[in-house]
Amino acid sequence: MAKNLVIVESPAKAKTIEGYLGKDFVVKSSYGHVRDLASKGLAIDIANNFQPEYEVSADKKNVISELKKLVKEAETVWLATDEDREGEAISWHLYETLKLGKKDTKRITFNEITKSAIQRAIQNPREINKELVDAQQARRVLDRLVGFELSPVLWKKVKPSLSAGRVQSVAVRLIVEREKEILAFEPGNYFRLVGDFIAHGQKIKAVLAHNLDDRKQALQFLNECNAVDFEVLEVNKKPAEKHPSAPFTTSTLQQEASLKLGFSVSRTMSVAQKLYEAGHITYMRTDSVNFSDTAMEGAKNAIVANYGANYSNPKRYKNKNTGAQEAHEAIRPTDFLRSSVNAGPDEERLYDLIWKRSIASQMAAAKLERTTIKIGSSQLSDHFAAKGEIIKFDGFLKVYLASNIDDEDDDQELDGLLPDVQQGDALSVEEIIATERFTKAPPRYVEASLVKKLEELGIGRPSTYAPTISTIQKRGYVEKKEREGEERSYEVFTLNNESITEGKSTEITGRDRNKLSPTDIGIVVTDFLVEHFGRILDYNFTAKVEDEFDEIAQGLKEWTAMIKNFYDPFHQNVEETLEHSDRASGERHLGEDPKSGKKVIVRIGRYGPMAQIGDSEEEEKPQFASLLPNQTLNTITLEDALDLFKLPRNLGEYEGKVVKANVGRFGPYIQHDGKFVSLKEDDPMEVNLSRAIELIEQKKEEDAKKMIKVFEEDETVQILNGRWGPYLKIGKNNFKLPKDIEPEKLTLEECKEIANNQPKKSTARRKKK
């Protein structure tokens, strides 16, 4: 048996490292965290200085058993988990769980999985850094305390089964506040003038320096233009430089992968993890923009070899974030001479992005010449400006240009080479167009811009951005909504051939794709938390807590003292809110029902947003109807709410059975012969019988494909096709099928034998949880 046991957290990482170490080393994976706070109860002894109660995760007991056997056979155990706080905590939990001794245990870290980095780490082992472990423990304990105490408040005061999290709730608040800004926004209009001028037979497109306030000003200015001779007022040429962006941190990689590749934040991190574990890039959870000396030399050699010495400009970047975690490097390739990798399509595209950004960061600035031509007349109060930019030396632009996540201005135009004109040159007018434009509401966040905002506010760290954004969507507080927008008309005035024509055109406004919107329950919960737990939801306070975690990691603060300072006022706040606050439902009064005269409201009910006619205090019971997926408490009208009470709609009959369209707790559906078909794209208020029949037949076809076998002698025993392959279902219980078995050939007796030899998995029990 090998003398040395190396433990990492992922099997892919283990496989790569094992290839770099000799026969004296065996590398095994812990498959992530092996121990966590106990799942039952709070698992924190508050009275005993917040001591955590840890337990080995149920799915890790076999892993621990195997590792314990290997530990007994090894002379030295090397804990080689990731170099950040989570990685340090995994090493500490392994040390405690496996009952390792300091003498025979060594902790090693590396920020890239290469042979030289692994061998260097083996030569420079250290002990487990307890300060880093305490920082992770503090985050875990604090988040458990907040979730454990805050969630029951929401169950009692808002709706059962809700949950709250310290960082997640603040992220939702950002999205809720942005949505309120958008709803309150009143667009204003203005006119933008663009002229096409002719100089020496060449066209110059120029924009009026200032927008005009209204149609009266626009028409008046066009009339003035019709009566004057235009000339070149000024030509200004000046050199400029464009500099490369810093190498990627976690957040900038997430932003750029979103803009350039269309990746979600979680997808980016998953792909980056694969690249890291395969040895292609450095560690992907970092807020550093620094390169090591070796990396800078590697980048320089690659640039000189591929582009020439004049393209090389080695540069050290400084981190703007003073609280940057640990001394990591930026995300970069482990070998700059490898410009591409042979892997899956996602890995290849993300690696290409990382390689280009890293190489570009060490390249020379691009040299430009910017030209501005002012066009006008002494008789006009304003002038037109044409702007052009030509590249004299492309520098880093040969490889890469970063995107700007905040750049939503489609009115900015920049030409390349402008015609060669001199001051005083006469110009003729081809046409001048005044187009009505509108001010824009603040944009909704996409995942990447939310990460940027969280980072700017100091909320969260590289390891928390992706989980935070995934969690708020899974919990139903935030959703990615597709908005088709609505048609809007605008005016266009054109000066051409000394006459002005007035016209109208249309455009779609408000179209959104993949933007984050708060759900009704997200808004109601946020408003409740801001009102009653303003300190927890405060951006500065949340950032201050992150700073305190940093101080614990640096050994400047004791973690349990930090927890106590947080918990005592928080717990008191919880007690007071439970006792004194009113229920929150987001109730909105829409008006009166014309038939009964009773009030119509919308609010959050037990199963989500709903409309209600009447009051529970009245003798006659109120009527209830669920809102449709495209409706919200804040925007639904009285007319739309009353339409909901026309459901269920009787569409007719099919195969002798009534077909109905309705909406329930899980959304709109078609009901036929005791079966339900979800309406994903169709509106239950508009769907007709022929479309309903089409959907019913589609569902029958899908169900038929799902069914592999059913037994006539006992129809409760079925063999079905599931998400992870064939499985056995008896009543409400599901059972795994043994490998190397042909499901369609199983007999009833064999099915019952399979069921008797393995534990039951009840779908009913899972749902109840």
Side-chain angles (χ1 to χ4, degrees):
M1 187 64 199
K3 295 177 182 178
N4 297 279
L5 171 64
V6 181
I7 306 176
V8 296
E9 63 272 84
S10 92
K13 187 175 170 182
K15 187 179 177 184
T16 307
I17 291 172
E18 200 158 42
Y20 297 138
L21 297 171
K23 59 181 180 357
D24 290 338
F25 288 82
V26 63
V27 186
K28 290 292 177 181
S29 169
S30 70
Y31 296 87
H33 277 278
V34 295
R35 202 171 70 154
D36 196 7
L37 292 173
S39 53
K40 289 184 180 177
L42 178 60
I44 298 163
D45 190 345
I46 294 169
N48 189 22
N49 208 18
F50 301 94
Q51 283 309 300
E53 178 195 330
Y54 292 112
E55 66 177 9
V56 174
S57 312
D59 60 337
K60 297 297 169 65
K61 287 182 178 174
N62 290 338
V63 173
I64 290 297
S65 296
E66 186 196 356
L67 289 175
K68 280 183 175 177
K69 288 176 191 172
L70 293 169
V71 165
K72 286 178 184 176
E73 296 167 1
E75 292 178 11
T76 306
V77 177
W78 304 78
L79 299 173
T81 52
D82 291 339
E83 61 178 344
D84 60 4
R85 296 171 194 172
E86 288 295 322
E88 205 71 21
I90 292 172
S91 279
W92 179 73
H93 283 297
L94 284 165
Y95 183 89
E96 295 284 312
T97 308
L98 299 174
K99 296 182 170 53
L100 302 175
K102 272 191 180 182
K103 183 182 172 185
D104 308 319
T105 306
K106 299 181 189 297
R107 170 79 172 116
I108 57 171
T109 58
F110 34 83
N111 78 323
E112 62 183 46
I113 304 175
T114 58
K115 188 171 185 177
S116 58
I118 304 301
Q119 290 175 343
R120 192 162 52 246
I122 293 284
Q123 289 161 13
N124 297 282
R126 61 169 174 81
E127 291 184 0
I128 290 170
N129 184 326
K130 195 58 170 59
E131 283 84 11
L132 291 184
V133 174
D134 286 346
Q136 191 275 344
Q137 276 198 117
R139 181 186 292 279
R140 187 74 190 91
V141 167
L142 194 61
D143 287 348
R144 172 63 71 91
L145 286 167
V146 170
F148 197 84
E149 298 215 0
L150 216 47
S151 297
V153 177
L154 296 179
W155 302 343
K156 186 175 179 182
K157 300 295 183 178
V158 184
K159 179 176 170 285
S161 303
L162 293 176
S163 58
R166 186 180 54 84
V167 177
Q168 294 95 316
S169 297
V170 175
V172 176
R173 180 184 179 183
L174 280 169
I175 294 164
V176 168
E177 289 184 344
R178 176 58 56 89
E179 194 68 21
K180 287 180 177 179
E181 285 179 59
I182 292 167
L183 290 174
F185 182 78
E186 292 286 344
N189 68 330
Y190 61 92
F191 281 80
R192 180 174 182 265
L193 274 70
V194 179
D196 286 340
F197 301 91
I198 305 299
H200 313 307
Q202 292 180 286
K203 186 187 289 187
I204 305 175
K205 186 179 285 291
V207 180
L208 191 68
H210 302 91
N211 294 320
L212 301 178
D213 292 341
D214 52 40
R215 73 188 314 271
K216 182 181 176 183
Q217 284 187 15
L219 287 168
Q220 183 181 329
F221 191 83
L222 286 177
N223 275 307
E224 290 173 8
C225 289
N226 203 11
V228 303
D229 295 321
F230 282 91
E231 64 176 350
V232 175
L233 300 176
E234 184 182 311
V235 179
N236 186 1
K237 292 185 180 182
K238 59 181 181 181
E241 286 189 345
K242 195 185 286 283
H243 294 273
S245 300
F248 280 134
T249 62
T250 301
S251 70
T252 55
L253 176 64
Q254 290 168 346
Q255 291 164 45
E256 197 74 342
S258 171
L259 292 167
K260 278 191 160 65
L261 307 179
F263 285 8
S264 68
V265 166
S266 57
R267 183 178 174 189
T268 297
M269 294 313 291
S270 173
V271 176
Q273 179 100 26
K274 290 175 186 173
L275 288 171
Y276 167 67
E277 290 174 348
H280 296 315
I281 64 169
T282 52
Y283 192 54
M284 65 285 156
R285 292 187 186 94
T286 176
D287 42 19
S288 169
V289 290
N290 189 37
F291 273 4
S292 67
D293 292 339
T294 308
M296 289 184 72
E297 188 64 27
K300 179 182 175 182
N301 292 339
I303 292 164
V304 171
N306 288 318
Y307 310 108
N310 58 327
Y311 280 88
S312 174
N313 181 38
K315 180 179 178 182
R316 288 201 184 278
Y317 291 84
K318 289 186 178 178
N319 207 310
K320 294 177 185 175
N321 177 10
T322 53
Q325 244 194 75
E326 289 85 63
H328 299 163
E329 269 194 86
I331 302 166
R332 61 165 177 82
T334 55
D335 180 1
F336 283 98
L337 293 174
R338 185 170 54 212
S339 60
S340 62
V341 293
N342 186 17
D346 279 4
E347 289 96 307
E348 289 175 359
R349 293 174 71 204
L350 192 65
Y351 181 84
D352 179 67
L353 196 68
I354 293 167
W355 185 86
K356 285 178 176 175
R357 174 81 165 228
S358 302
I359 281 285
S361 75
Q362 300 300 304
M363 291 177 74
K367 296 189 185 302
L368 317 167
E369 183 180 82
R370 289 183 179 145
T371 303
T372 303
I373 301 173
K374 285 187 181 178
I375 296 169
S377 165
S378 58
Q379 296 164 272
L380 292 176
S381 59
D382 205 350
H383 67 272
F384 290 84
K387 294 182 179 181
E389 183 178 275
I390 57 170
I391 297 171
K392 295 284 193 179
F393 171 65
D394 54 3
F396 78 95
L397 293 176
K398 198 172 194 75
V399 175
Y400 182 83
L401 178 62
S403 307
N404 182 2
I405 203 160
D406 298 318
D407 189 8
E408 293 224 352
D409 191 350
D410 56 3
D411 288 342
Q412 295 304 310
E413 294 177 14
L414 200 66
D415 289 328
L417 184 63
L418 294 173
D420 189 14
V421 293
Q422 305 297 321
Q423 184 175 342
D425 283 358
L427 302 171
S428 60
V429 177
E430 185 173 272
E431 68 176 9
I432 299 175
I433 300 175
T435 307
E436 186 180 16
R437 296 287 79 211
F438 302 89
T439 54
K440 295 177 181 177
R444 291 181 176 88
Y445 290 105
V446 293
E447 286 190 3
S449 59
L450 181 60
V451 167
K452 185 181 181 188
K453 186 65 177 178
L454 290 169
E455 187 179 42
E456 284 173 359
L457 293 171
I459 296 167
R461 289 296 181 261
S463 61
T464 64
Y465 300 137
T468 297
I469 289 171
S470 296
T471 300
I472 61 178
Q473 291 177 75
K474 283 177 190 168
R475 287 182 176 171
Y477 293 147
V478 170
E479 62 185 349
K480 285 181 182 173
K481 224 172 186 178
E482 292 208 354
R483 291 176 170 82
E484 294 305 319
E486 55 190 35
E487 193 171 79
R488 171 174 67 189
S489 67
Y490 61 94
E491 292 190 289
V492 181
F493 309 139
T494 305
L495 168 61
N496 187 290
N497 293 327
E498 299 184 354
S499 68
I500 297 171
T501 56
E502 298 185 25
K504 283 203 169 186
S505 192
T506 59
E507 63 187 355
I508 300 296
T509 180
R511 180 181 283 144
D512 262 350
R513 294 281 186 279
N514 279 326
K515 299 284 182 77
L516 298 170
S517 302
T519 60
D520 283 328
I521 193 66
I523 293 171
V524 172
V525 166
T526 298
D527 288 347
F528 178 83
L529 292 176
V530 168
E531 181 183 352
H532 298 287
F533 295 91
R535 180 169 170 257
I536 303 293
L537 270 285
D538 181 78
Y539 301 132
N540 292 330
F541 176 76
T542 309
K544 181 175 173 288
V545 170
E546 293 293 345
D547 290 339
E548 289 185 283
F549 291 149
D550 293 342
E551 289 173 17
I552 294 166
Q554 294 159 19
L556 302 175
K557 184 167 280 194
E558 208 279 315
W559 78 272
T560 52
M562 177 260 178
I563 297 291
K564 182 173 173 56
N565 287 338
F566 176 96
Y567 179 74
D568 288 351
F570 167 68
H571 180 68
Q572 186 179 346
N573 194 356
V574 169
E575 296 290 314
E576 288 172 358
T577 304
L578 279 169
E579 189 173 345
H580 301 298
S581 69
D582 295 326
R583 283 187 60 84
S585 67
E587 183 177 313
R588 183 169 157 249
H589 182 253
L590 301 181
E592 277 68 46
D593 173 24
K595 290 181 182 176
S596 63
K598 294 180 178 180
K599 73 174 181 179
V600 180
I601 62 167
V602 286
R603 64 180 179 87
I604 294 293
R606 184 175 183 84
Y607 300 120
M610 66 177 197
Q612 177 179 326
I613 297 176
D615 203 309
S616 55
E617 294 173 6
E618 295 171 357
E619 192 174 323
E620 192 178 345
K621 284 186 178 180
Q623 293 175 264
F624 303 103
S626 295
L627 265 60
L628 297 174
N630 62 342
Q631 295 174 329
T632 68
L633 296 181
N634 283 327
T635 59
I636 191 172
T637 64
L638 175 63
E639 185 183 2
D640 290 338
L642 290 171
D643 279 345
L644 294 172
F645 293 92
K646 295 174 184 175
L647 294 171
R649 286 174 60 228
N650 190 329
L651 305 182
E653 286 194 6
Y654 177 56
E655 297 178 341
K657 305 284 183 180
V658 173
V659 180
K660 292 179 182 178
N662 203 355
V663 62
R665 57 184 292 197
F666 300 116
Y669 62 89
I670 295 292
Q671 184 177 357
H672 174 255
D673 195 17
K675 293 184 173 65
F676 301 89
V677 182
S678 291
L679 288 174
K680 293 185 173 70
E681 296 172 4
D682 298 85
D683 188 329
M685 304 299 297
E686 297 175 3
V687 68
N688 57 29
L689 181 61
S690 61
R691 174 60 176 157
I693 292 170
E694 185 185 333
L695 293 169
I696 290 164
E697 288 301 322
Q698 279 179 17
K699 182 75 165 57
K700 283 182 182 178
E701 199 176 314
E702 287 168 13
D703 289 346
K705 286 178 184 175
K706 185 180 177 183
M707 184 74 70
I708 297 174
K709 191 172 186 177
V710 64
F711 297 91
E712 288 182 13
E713 52 267 56
D714 188 348
E715 291 187 356
T716 64
V717 181
Q718 300 172 344
I719 301 171
L720 305 171
N721 251 323
R723 189 174 171 187
W724 291 284
Y727 67 97
L728 171 64
K729 183 177 184 183
I730 301 180
K732 291 184 177 179
N733 297 314
N734 297 338
F735 304 91
K736 284 182 180 178
L737 291 177
K739 290 177 182 177
D740 308 322
I741 212 166
E742 294 183 58
E744 60 276 0
K745 292 184 179 178
L746 285 170
T747 65
L748 181 61
E749 289 69 29
E750 286 170 333
C751 288
K752 288 182 176 178
E753 188 180 338
I754 289 168
N756 290 332
N757 289 329
Q758 63 176 285
K760 294 177 182 177
K761 285 190 177 179
S762 168
T763 53
R765 196 161 57 245
R766 279 205 304 273
K767 282 176 185 172
K768 195 174 179 182
K769 281 183 183 176

